[in-house]
Amino acid sequence: MGESVTSRRGRVLAVSVTEAGRRITARLPYVAIHGDLAATVRARWSEVDGFVLCCATGIAVRVVAPLLGDKGTDPAVVSVDDAGAFTVSLCGGHAGGANHLAREVAGLLGSTPVVTTATDVAGVPPLDALPGFVATGDVAAVARAWLDGRPPLVERTLDWPVPFAGGEGPTRVLVTDRAVDAAAGLVALRPPSLVVGVGASSDAAPDAAAALLDAAMGRAGLSGDAIGTVATIDRRAGDAAVTALGRPVRAFPAEVLAAVEVPNPSTIVAAEVGTASVAEAAALLAAGPGAELVVAKQKGATATVAVARRARPEGSVAVVGLGPGHPRHRTAAATAAIRAADVVIGYDRYVDQCADLLGSATTVVRSPIGAEIDRCAEALARGAAGDRVALVCSGDPGVFAMATLVCELAPGHGAPPVEVVPGVTAASAAAALLGAPLAHDHALVSLSDHLTPWEAIERRLRAVTEADLAVALYNPRSSRRTWQLETARSILLEARPATTPVGIVTEATRAGEQTVLTTLGDLDPSTVGMLSVVVVGSSTTTVVDGRIVTPRGYLT
Ligand code: SAH
C-alpha cells in the first residue's frame, strides 16, 4: 500500500542501444541489456516494474505506445538521453513509480530529472500515491479541480490526519474506512485504520480467515482497503490462513493476549491455548490505546476473525543509514523507509543527501549538528504521536551515529516501534576504494574524545596493536581536534613498522572524493580532515599493484 511499484516487485531493466548508452546503464544498479530495444521492451513488458531506456524520447514513445494498457499495472518508463543529461519520467508517473525512478536515476547519474505530472509540478498531493493511504473513486476529477485552484472539500467518517488541508470543493475527499458508493467528483481516501485479529486451528485452510473476514466486513460496511495490519497469536504468525490476508502480521504470546479484556472470551480456547481470546485480543492490542472493536469475533469451523479500529495512526521511528554519500550506495530498504516517512529528521547534510526521495507531503526537520539528543527526542516524540519518522544518518546508523541514542531514549517516549535500517559504513566504502585492507580481522575506532575520555581511546589503540588488527580510524581530525591523530600514529608506531600501509579516504563516494596511499611513517595529519577515514594495516597488510590488501591466507 502506498509503495511504488519499483519497490513492490523491484525489477528494473536498463536498456541501451548505443555505446554511450551502454556506459550509462553500466552506472545504474539495474539489470542492463544492450541491443534490440524494441524487442526487449516488448518481451519483458509484463514481467518488470520499470524500464530505463537510453534513447531519444521519441524512440521510447514509439516503442512503448502499442504496449500501454492500464496505468495501475503498466511498468514505469523512464528515458535517458545518450549524454545522461536528462532523465524523463515518460509514463507511469505515480502508480507505476516512474517519477520516483526518474529521480532515482537522476540522483545516480547526476542528471536533471524531468517530471511533468501536473500534481507534482503544482505541489498538489498525489492522492493515488500518498504513502499509507489507498485512494479509490474519481481521482482524476478531484486532481483536475485541485490543479485549477479548487481543492476538494475534506469530509470524514474518521478522525485521522491527512497531509493536506483541502478547500471548498465542489469535489470531495472522504476520509473513511467504510465502503462508499462511487460518485462523480468523490474520492474515498482510506488510511490503515483497521486491524484484523485472526485465530486459527493448525488445520485451517489458507482461505479460512479470508472468507470469514470478507463476509463480516461486508455486513459491517467496512472497506478492505483500510486494513493495515493482521494480528494473531505467536504460534500462528506464519500460518497460511494468517499470511494469506496479505498484510504485515503482528504476533503476541498467549500470556500477553490473556491480559486483554474482550467482549467474547471462550473458556475452551483458554484451556487449549492459554488465553480466552485470540482474534479479539490480538486485534485490540495491535490497534493500540483507545482502539474500538468494530467487528466482534466471527467464528468459522477452523478460524475466527475480529476487527478493531485504531484511535490514531501508528507511528514509528526508522533510524536510516544513507550510506557514505552517493545514492548508488544507498540500500533499497533505506530508500523505501524514507519514501514511506511522513517526517524526515536529520542534520542538514544528511537531509540533503536524500533530497531526491522527499515528496511534497514529507515534513522535513533539519537539526543542527551537536543537537543529537534533541534530534532523537523529537523523532521519538513524533513517532509516539503517530508520525512515521525517518531519522537519517550517514553511513550505518549503528556506527558512531544515532541508533544507540534512539534505542536508549525510546522507552521514555512511550516506545514507538523502532527499526534500524543499516547502511554502507564509511570504513566499507573507504576499504573498497583502497582495495581490501579490512578483509581480515579489524577494528573501528573513533578518535573523537568529545564523549569518550582520551585515555580510553589510547587503551583501545594499544589493544588494537596488541591484537594485530587492521584499524579504521573515524573522526580522525577536525578544526578543534588537531593533535589526536598524531598521538594515535605514535601509539601505533610503538608496535608497527613505519612501512605499515595506510590509506586516507576523504569524502568517499561524494564530490571531492580523495584517496591517499601512504605509510604509518609518512602519514601527514594535515592531509586528514573531519570527512576522512584513516585505514591502518596490520602486520600482514601489503600493497599489491597500488591496492592495500590484508590477506586472508588463501595464498600462503
Ligand atoms: N555512521 C557513519 C559514521 C559517522 S561518524 C558511518 O557509518 O560511516 C563521522 C565520521 O565518519 C567522519 O568524521 C569520518 O571519519 C567518517 N565518514 C563518514 N562519511 C564518510 C565519507 N563519505 N568518507 C570518508 N569518511 C567518512
Side-chain angles (χ1 to χ4, degrees):
M1 283 192 313
E3 282 179 11
S4 69
V5 172
T6 36
S7 63
R8 231 189 291 146
R9 284 181 290 161
R11 292 236 14 219
V12 175
L13 289 190
V15 192
S16 56
V17 270
T18 64
E19 278 309 313
R22 195 211 283 266
R23 284 193 293 275
I24 288 173
T25 60
R27 289 162 59 197
L28 299 173
Y30 317 125
V31 177
I33 295 182
H34 185 70
D36 192 341
L37 186 123
T40 303
V41 173
R42 257 197 312 276
R44 310 296 287 275
W45 184 255
S46 56
E47 292 167 22
V48 303
D49 313 312
F51 288 100
V52 177
L53 305 179
C54 284
C55 62
T57 312
I59 296 175
V61 167
R62 282 176 210 288
V63 168
V64 304
L67 304 169
L68 291 172
D70 181 327
K71 74 171 183 178
T73 51
D74 284 340
V77 182
V78 166
S79 73
V80 183
D81 62 293
D82 261 3
F86 297 100
T87 58
V88 184
S89 170
L90 206 55
C91 47
H94 281 158
N99 294 350
H100 280 332
L101 185 58
R103 291 196 179 98
E104 181 171 289
V105 172
L108 292 162
L109 298 176
S111 59
T112 304
V114 181
V115 173
T116 57
T117 308
T119 50
D120 278 35
V121 174
V124 167
L127 280 180
D128 53 355
L130 281 182
F133 291 87
V134 177
T136 55
D138 202 352
V139 173
V142 173
R144 233 176 4 251
W146 209 332
L147 289 167
D148 289 342
R150 285 171 294 143
L153 192 64
V154 176
E155 300 176 324
R156 44 179 76 247
T157 69
L158 200 61
D159 183 19
W160 195 281
V162 292
F164 53 84
E168 304 284 304
T171 62
R172 293 177 299 145
V173 169
L174 177 60
V175 182
T176 187
D177 54 19
R178 308 195 63 79
V180 174
D181 289 333
L186 173 69
V187 166
L189 191 63
R190 299 208 172 79
S193 55
L194 301 179
V195 178
V196 175
V198 179
S201 57
S202 56
D203 60 346
D207 66 348
L212 266 181
L213 180 65
D214 281 351
M217 294 279 287
R219 281 195 299 277
L222 295 170
S223 165
D225 285 342
I227 299 172
T229 312
V230 169
T232 188
I233 191 165
D234 49 11
R235 75 190 72 155
R236 292 281 167 258
D239 285 16
V242 173
T243 57
L245 296 176
R247 297 290 195 282
V249 176
R250 290 275 305 271
F252 304 97
E255 63 271 20
V256 174
L257 295 175
V260 182
E261 228 172 277
V262 297
N264 302 294
S266 152
T267 46
I268 302 170
V269 175
E272 274 174 15
V273 298
T275 168
S277 166
V278 174
E280 289 183 347
L284 283 167
L285 204 56
E292 143 196 38
L293 201 64
V294 287
V295 174
K297 180 170 72 176
Q298 308 287 305
K299 201 166 168 351
T302 54
T304 55
V305 298
V307 183
R309 176 183 283 142
R310 295 182 184 283
R312 55 189 169 84
E314 180 180 45
S316 59
V317 177
V319 200
V320 181
L322 297 175
H326 198 280
R328 65 182 282 146
H329 297 299
R330 187 163 67 202
T331 70
T335 297
I338 293 162
R339 282 204 184 127
D342 307 308
V343 181
V344 171
I345 300 184
Y347 165 53
D348 251 348
R349 175 182 255 273
Y350 306 148
V351 171
D352 290 341
Q353 198 177 323
C354 60
D356 58 313
L357 302 177
L358 306 176
S360 53
T362 318
T363 303
V364 176
V365 182
R366 292 169 177 272
S367 100
I369 201 157
E372 283 79 17
I373 296 179
D374 292 346
R375 192 183 309 159
C376 292
E378 170 154 17
L380 288 162
R382 283 177 177 263
D387 283 334
R388 280 162 306 166
V389 179
L391 176 63
V392 291
C393 308
S394 82
D396 184 279
V399 177
F400 310 124
M402 295 291 98
T404 47
L405 197 46
V406 169
C407 294
E408 287 169 315
L409 295 176
H413 286 81
V418 169
E419 184 192 8
V420 179
V421 181
V424 173
T425 186
S428 301
L433 288 164
L434 294 168
L438 303 177
H440 211 316
D441 300 333
H442 63 273
L444 310 181
V445 176
S446 167
L447 296 190
S448 170
D449 53 356
H450 174 48
L451 300 170
T452 308
W454 180 252
E455 302 74 64
I457 297 171
E458 275 200 11
R459 232 177 16 253
R460 286 166 202 168
L461 289 170
R462 288 187 207 286
V464 161
T465 59
E466 169 64 24
D468 193 20
L469 299 170
V471 61
L473 302 173
Y474 279 69
N475 300 299
R477 199 164 193 272
S478 73
S479 50
R480 283 182 302 117
R481 289 183 303 99
T482 48
W483 53 266
Q484 285 83 349
L485 180 59
E486 186 50 43
T487 309
R489 186 175 84 106
S490 327
I491 293 170
L492 295 169
L493 271 173
E494 287 167 14
R496 283 181 199 190
T499 52
T500 303
V502 168
I504 303 166
V505 178
T506 304
E507 301 256 30
T509 84
R510 299 182 190 140
E513 173 185 287
Q514 220 189 337
T515 302
V516 174
L517 192 65
T518 178
T519 61
L520 207 46
D522 290 340
L523 170 60
D524 173 6
S526 71
T527 59
V528 175
M530 68 181 275
L531 291 169
S532 314
V533 67
V534 178
V535 178
V536 182
S538 70
S539 68
T540 60
T541 304
T542 56
V543 176
V544 182
D545 196 16
R547 296 196 182 94
I548 306 183
V549 178
T550 304
R552 297 196 60 212
Y554 295 113
L555 298 178
T556 52

